Amino acid sequence: MLDETLIRRTLTEALARGGDLAELFVERRSSTALRLDDSRVEDVASGREAGAGVRVISGERASYAYTNLLTEQGLSEAAQAARAGLSGAEGTVAADLRRSVGPTHPVKHAPEEVGAAAKAEALSRANEAARSQGAAVRQVSASYADVQQHILIASSDGRIAEDDRTRVRFAVQVVAARNGEIATGFEAPGHSGGFELLSVHDPADLGERAARKALRMLEARPSPAGEFPVVLAPGSGGVLIHEACGHGLEADTLVKDASVYANRNGERFGSESVTIVDDGSDQGAWGSFGVDDEGIPAQRTVLFDKGVLVGHMSDLLSAAKIGHPPTGNGRRQSYAHLPIVRMTNTYLLPGPDAPEGIFSSVERGVYAATFAGGEVNPATGNFVFGMAEAYMIENGEVTYPIKGANLIGNGPRVLEVIEAVGSDFDRKEGVCGKDGQAAPVTNGMPTVLLGKVTVGGTEA
Amino acid sequence: MSDLQKLAASLAGRAQSSEEVEAFVTHEKSFNVKVYSGEVESLSSAEPRGAGVRVVSGGRVGFAYTTDLGEQSLDQLVGQARDNAAHSTPDEAVALAPAWAQAPPEVTGLVDDAHARVSSDDKVSFALELERATRSLDPRIRAVEEAVYSDSDAEIGLATSTGISGLYRRTDAWCYSMAIATEGDDTEIGFEFDLARGIAALDAEAVGRAAAERALGVLGAAKIPSGRMPVVFEPYVAGQFLGVLGSALVGEAVQKGRSLLAGRLGEQIAAPGLTMVDDGRREGAPGAAPWDAEGVPTGRTEVISKGVLTSFLYDTTSARREGRGSTGNAARGSFKSAPHPSPSNLAIDSTGESRSEVLERAGRALLVEDFHGVHSGANPVTGDFSVGATGRLLEGGTPAQAVKEVTIAAPMLEILKGIEAVASDLRWLPFGGSYGGATTLVAEMTVAGS
């Protein structure tokens, strides 16, 4: 990607006025995105980007500068900008650059070798399948996106790593309407891999499923408000773990004492059935990679072991402050961003309970089948999640769909009220936002019963 | 002609016969500093540039972008957009913006002339001062999780083979602070931000104090019993509500059945006293520009007039679909994306009362200081609106008990019809477009608590 002489020269330039560590991040990215709406392929887009960022760390301070010019002059200017404000003695760059290598995520059909025609055709198939589900299907939009990213990270302490990442995602959104009622359905699988995603998730099947969801939700009655037991569907319910537990265990919030989980290692938060991991090495998963954006190999980190808090996620800076090796969770949206601590694929692992039994134990409650997303405050652990697809449970049976429901509560307390953990498991892919940066993440969990939580709805 | 304008013109000039080409190019200088505990935590600077090109041919459109502005790369860029166009579905509504009869008048106040002369040291000092102001208000402010200053100085150029050629400059400066307050076992967060054309118009002291006050205000907060009651939106919260409603006002969403307002043109959809305006030229608003993201001169559109839905917002293609003109509402995130229709600066006109008059009129109500989970709980397609809220219970118009962990819900059309008063304390919120919120009284919503 860049020859070693130029890498070394850039790092040396960056440390010319002192600093503890200099790091170079180089990225080339190409992407295509197609979108079908109103039965027309309306957007066909592609892009090429190249850029490099230089980071100089001095004490607690990180200075960063980036450029789109991958030339000696462009890199030298970025190095000079990144060291601005320093006035110490010249730092040294390690004599040997040692390669670190992480897990690989195979690509069977490289997206750049698949023509745009095949991608457009997949969109049309999803559209036709969705529209064939009934006249109440009013609108379908489908999108396909692929990204190929090649990165190189080199640092003055002698580390060098490269990673090739290919990600593909396919999404279908359906709007259904009948008698003045409007409802939506959504499916959006993705993975780290190539165009073969569409063999695993057939576009027609995705279109049909999204349409059926929208049609079912047309029948929805207003959600009740109050405290209820809630059954979380496998997969989608994982966003709750991501928001309520994951963010508070990102070490940047821990070292700032801005997390409800700070200084509570070894404490019990949930039952023996609650084991939660973050696993950036899970082969082919949407949030996976080989090495993170600081060159640390992806790994599996246990956060809660049988209900007890045992781990956290870190990048280089927060790991150094905690005095722990970094966990490979330093991620950045692109060369234009500083790395920050992020989740990868976060899973509540399967437990001992039969999913059917979980439903039959509920007299009156809510079944949260799909969450629309959520938000959490790491300092307090308070969260809110909207439900895109939800049902009432009455006497152990799922009875009718409800709309306008959301779930509010507190992270640590939610682990406490997990009363059953199913033996099944599913994943859902998403994009997590933090500090203005987007990162692909996976949430996974089995069927889970929450004993009593606040459901917000329109019926008081 | 500046280098950037020449670059755009040279890209547009690559158009072949029977096609039209549009080039959108930007050159920005950006700066960001984040401080923590009295020290600089991170500092970032850059000068990114890039180009995005649309090729339209026979009703088909393709888009491509690049950060490589070398001659060879520019040829490839136009070629790539042309190839992409071949895979889109032909649509006779698709077109680039028509040539200007005359150049659109400039919008004043987009640039702070002093911006380029502000040193990095002064920006760092500002961020440190922001943190100090947040922390020093009260000993219960345990930490400031983030205190940030950012700015940008950008040149935006656009040229089309249909004859448009324009360039303008804008400067932006913004800051925010996030305070953490602790008392006993209770920890709360308070957020405040400000934005302006330059650092001189930002007030570190006021922003820091407001962030701290917001965190302190929620200490000791509790749920309140579920029920229906009047609700008052703080300006920041009212802006977020408009952000959700704004996507339902976009003509394209209406045409595609993706708006709760579809089929309601001419209907009374809001309280009779309510007027809502989108104004792409509004002075002092963050989204102001002389022309929109595809080169159409910006303008003023009354979308709700005395409670009646009077217009939607259009870009060129969605307007042609209805045989009308664009309202100048094309927007784009950056050169990396093709334009799409969006509100520019959307706000409800004040009903004339002051904030204190609105609070007094509310009597016993929930004053909402923050929404939680807006992007998941509010749906501009179905009109469902159910979000988490923190704030205060108003008793006789005076803020009393602090409230948290409740949700508030009502169909969005019911909220619009229930708006009884909008105060004159407008502030702008950047939220995809820019939205002006003011203290707003809504007659009744469902509050779910204990």
Side-chain angles (χ1 to χ4, degrees):
Chain A
M1 206 168 183
L2 281 187
D3 76 68
E4 241 180 78
T5 322
L6 184 52
I7 293 171
R8 195 176 289 279
R9 203 174 294 157
T10 307
L11 292 173
T12 305
E13 179 87 63
L15 286 181
R17 300 269 184 284
D20 305 319
L21 185 82
E23 175 200 68
L24 173 66
F25 178 88
V26 189
E27 176 183 9
R28 286 183 194 279
R29 178 194 294 249
S30 61
S31 59
T32 62
L34 290 85
R35 195 175 58 89
L36 174 146
D37 204 4
D38 213 15
S39 295
R40 287 188 296 265
V41 177
E42 292 194 338
D43 295 328
V44 184
S46 54
R48 285 182 189 283
E49 270 180 89
V54 178
R55 178 165 65 146
V56 177
I57 296 170
S58 173
E60 305 264 290
R61 169 180 179 147
S63 299
Y64 195 67
Y66 64 89
T67 178
N68 296 125
L69 303 172
L70 300 187
T71 57
E72 184 163 356
Q73 194 196 342
L75 293 169
S76 163
E77 281 173 11
Q80 287 169 32
R83 73 174 192 224
L86 294 178
S87 56
E90 188 174 344
T92 52
V93 177
D96 290 321
L97 294 178
R98 295 177 313 278
R99 293 230 159 224
S100 43
V101 182
T104 55
H105 304 279
V107 177
K108 279 189 200 145
H109 301 293
E112 62 262 57
E113 284 160 20
V114 177
K119 297 170 185 174
E121 201 263 336
L123 297 176
S124 297
R125 289 212 298 130
N127 180 49
E128 282 153 25
R131 288 183 184 272
S132 72
Q133 295 303 303
V137 171
R138 289 296 160 81
Q139 195 50 271
V140 178
S141 76
S143 63
Y144 166 90
D146 63 53
V147 179
Q148 292 80 236
Q149 186 196 24
H150 183 79
I151 60 159
L152 176 148
I153 306 117
S155 63
S156 59
D157 59 357
R159 291 179 302 109
I160 185 166
E162 289 183 71
D163 201 13
D164 271 308
R165 301 159 182 172
T166 299
R167 290 194 177 94
V168 174
R169 196 170 192 209
F170 193 93
V172 190
Q173 194 219 29
V174 173
V175 179
R178 191 189 294 140
N179 303 332
E181 291 294 324
I182 304 176
T184 58
F186 186 65
E187 288 289 338
H191 76 165
S192 288
F195 196 68
E196 66 275 12
L197 175 78
L198 304 192
S199 314
V200 184
H201 298 277
D202 178 40
D205 185 44
L206 294 169
E208 194 178 313
R209 281 186 3 223
R212 286 199 178 152
K213 264 188 197 175
L215 293 171
R216 276 199 299 270
M217 291 308 290
L218 274 183
E219 311 292 331
R221 305 183 209 164
S223 166
E227 293 193 319
F228 294 98
V230 172
V231 176
L232 304 173
S236 180
V239 69
L240 194 73
I241 299 300
H242 171 102
E243 297 288 346
C245 307
H247 280 300
L249 289 173
E250 292 169 339
D252 51 343
T253 63
L254 292 172
V255 297
K256 287 184 176 178
D257 198 11
S259 163
V260 283
Y261 297 105
N263 308 312
R264 295 177 74 177
N265 244 21
E267 236 179 86
R268 172 167 294 282
F269 284 86
S271 79
E272 291 275 323
S273 304
V274 177
T275 293
I276 298 173
V277 303
D278 182 81
D279 189 357
S281 67
D282 186 16
Q283 194 173 70
W286 171 244
S288 293
F289 41 75
V291 296
D292 75 0
D293 296 316
E294 299 183 299
I296 306 296
Q299 67 177 59
R300 182 176 193 268
T301 305
V302 180
L303 304 174
F304 292 89
D305 184 25
K306 299 193 169 79
V308 176
L309 178 60
V310 294
H312 61 263
M313 296 160 281
S314 63
D315 60 1
L316 288 174
L317 280 179
S318 60
K321 283 180 197 162
I322 283 184
H324 225 269
T327 61
N329 288 86
R331 305 180 70 184
R332 42 184 140 198
Q333 183 176 314
S334 77
Y335 62 88
H337 300 85
L338 274 161
I340 52 176
V341 189
R342 306 302 296 261
M343 279 171 266
T344 60
N345 309 294
T346 312
Y347 303 141
L348 169 59
L349 300 182
D353 304 303
E356 315 78 60
I358 292 178
F359 284 95
S360 58
S361 70
V362 177
E363 212 169 283
R364 184 161 189 268
V366 168
Y367 173 45
T370 310
F371 281 102
E375 191 178 290
V376 71
N377 179 334
T380 62
N382 291 336
F383 62 75
V384 182
F385 297 91
M387 295 179 215
E389 186 191 6
Y391 303 84
M392 282 308 287
I393 306 174
E394 292 165 321
N395 301 317
E397 301 282 334
V398 174
T399 47
Y400 58 88
I402 54 175
K403 61 180 173 186
N406 63 24
L407 196 65
I408 70 169
N410 182 273
R413 274 187 268 151
V414 128
L415 291 181
E416 220 170 275
V417 299
I418 292 183
E419 292 188 354
V421 179
S423 52
D424 51 350
F425 187 78
D426 200 6
R427 299 175 172 79
K428 281 279 183 284
E429 291 76 24
V431 176
C432 170
K434 175 176 170 181
D435 286 3
Q437 297 193 41
V441 297
T442 313
N443 302 314
M445 69 151 44
T447 302
V448 164
L449 172 65
L450 304 179
K452 197 177 168 194
V453 272
T454 303
V455 173
T458 45
E459 298 294 290
Chain B
M1 205 185 247
S2 78
D3 287 350
L4 201 64
Q5 214 170 348
K6 278 184 204 152
L7 171 65
S10 111
L11 281 165
R14 285 169 161 85
Q16 298 176 350
S17 60
S18 80
E19 73 178 18
E20 300 290 359
V21 173
E22 168 203 79
F24 180 85
V25 292
T26 59
H27 179 188
E28 190 188 350
K29 293 187 187 75
S30 69
F31 180 90
N32 173 286
V33 57
K34 185 191 271 191
V35 303
Y36 180 71
S37 210
E39 304 281 346
V40 172
E41 181 183 338
S42 68
L43 197 143
S44 167
S45 62
E47 228 182 294
R49 56 189 103 199
V53 161
R54 282 199 296 168
V55 171
V56 172
S57 170
R60 298 174 190 264
V61 59
F63 174 77
Y65 72 87
T66 186
T67 56
D68 181 350
L69 303 180
E71 277 302 310
Q72 199 188 343
S73 166
L74 298 181
D75 285 338
Q76 282 171 2
L77 177 67
V78 178
Q80 187 66 58
R82 187 176 292 133
D83 290 348
N84 287 343
H87 296 284
S88 72
T89 311
D91 176 352
E92 58 185 24
V94 167
L96 298 182
W100 293 338
Q102 61 205 48
E106 282 186 24
V107 173
T108 51
L110 293 184
V111 172
D112 173 14
D113 291 322
H115 185 89
R117 296 192 298 274
V118 180
S119 71
S120 299
D121 285 350
D122 287 346
K123 297 172 185 181
V124 169
S125 302
F126 179 95
L128 290 168
E129 172 59 19
L130 173 62
E131 194 200 35
R132 193 206 53 75
T134 312
R135 188 189 271 272
S136 63
L137 185 76
D138 190 293
R140 291 173 295 167
I141 301 295
R142 168 160 63 82
V144 181
E145 188 176 348
E146 284 186 359
V148 171
Y149 168 84
S150 282
D151 64 36
S152 152
D153 184 345
E155 272 193 315
I156 297 127
L158 186 137
T160 66
S161 57
T162 58
I164 294 174
S165 176
L167 180 87
Y168 69 90
R169 179 178 163 217
R170 58 178 290 170
T171 58
D172 293 276
W174 63 99
C175 66
Y176 65 86
S177 178
M178 209 182 280
I180 304 179
T182 297
E183 189 168 38
D185 285 345
D186 197 3
T187 293
E188 299 296 345
I189 287 218
F191 175 82
E192 185 57 275
F193 76 98
D194 197 10
L195 73 168
R197 292 295 170 199
I199 194 169
L202 299 177
D203 186 340
E205 181 71 33
V207 173
R209 196 174 52 237
E213 281 170 352
R214 197 153 282 166
L216 294 166
V218 199
L219 285 176
K223 291 184 186 182
I224 51 172
S226 302
R228 290 185 62 82
M229 65 170 76
V231 167
V232 178
F233 294 160
E234 284 281 7
Y236 171 68
V237 163
Q240 291 185 62
F241 175 74
L242 283 188
V244 178
L245 187 71
S247 48
L249 284 164
V250 169
E252 191 197 24
V254 175
Q255 290 162 0
K256 295 177 173 173
R258 207 172 282 124
S259 164
L260 73 131
L261 300 175
R264 296 186 189 273
L265 209 58
E267 253 179 53
Q268 185 85 31
I269 61 155
L274 196 139
T275 293
M276 192 185 296
V277 174
D278 182 86
D279 188 351
R281 306 183 60 80
R282 185 160 174 160
E283 207 166 321
W291 33 267
D292 73 4
E294 53 179 2
V296 173
T298 46
R300 182 180 187 280
T301 309
E302 212 162 272
V303 287
I304 298 176
S305 188
K306 296 190 165 55
V308 176
L309 181 62
T310 44
S311 178
F312 295 115
L313 303 170
Y314 298 90
D315 65 356
T316 297
T317 296
S318 61
R320 281 168 55 96
R321 220 163 255 151
E322 293 180 25
R324 52 161 298 157
S326 165
T327 53
N329 280 94
R332 43 181 133 200
S334 74
F335 66 87
K336 294 180 206 171
S337 50
H340 63 277
S342 164
S344 59
N345 304 296
L346 184 70
I348 301 179
D349 286 356
S350 169
T351 50
E353 291 102 317
S354 69
R355 173 182 166 86
S356 57
E357 284 164 342
V358 172
L359 295 184
E360 197 173 321
R361 185 164 158 193
R364 185 173 191 277
L366 177 63
L367 174 66
V368 180
E369 291 172 335
D370 215 345
F371 281 153
H372 307 283
V374 173
H375 59 291
S376 61
N379 187 331
V381 180
T382 62
D384 291 335
F385 191 86
S386 172
V387 302
T390 49
R392 294 190 162 257
L393 196 61
L394 295 172
E395 300 279 7
T398 308
Q401 184 202 331
V403 178
K404 68 173 177 183
E405 280 187 49
V406 299
T407 69
I408 57 170
M412 288 175 71
L413 284 174
E414 205 176 293
I415 299 175
L416 273 179
K417 284 198 174 129
I419 292 179
E420 295 187 335
V422 179
S424 44
D425 53 348
L426 180 90
R427 69 177 293 194
W428 291 100
L429 174 70
F431 192 76
S434 77
Y435 300 91
T439 304
T440 301
L441 169 61
V442 181
E444 202 176 56
M445 291 181 75
T446 302
V447 177
S450 52

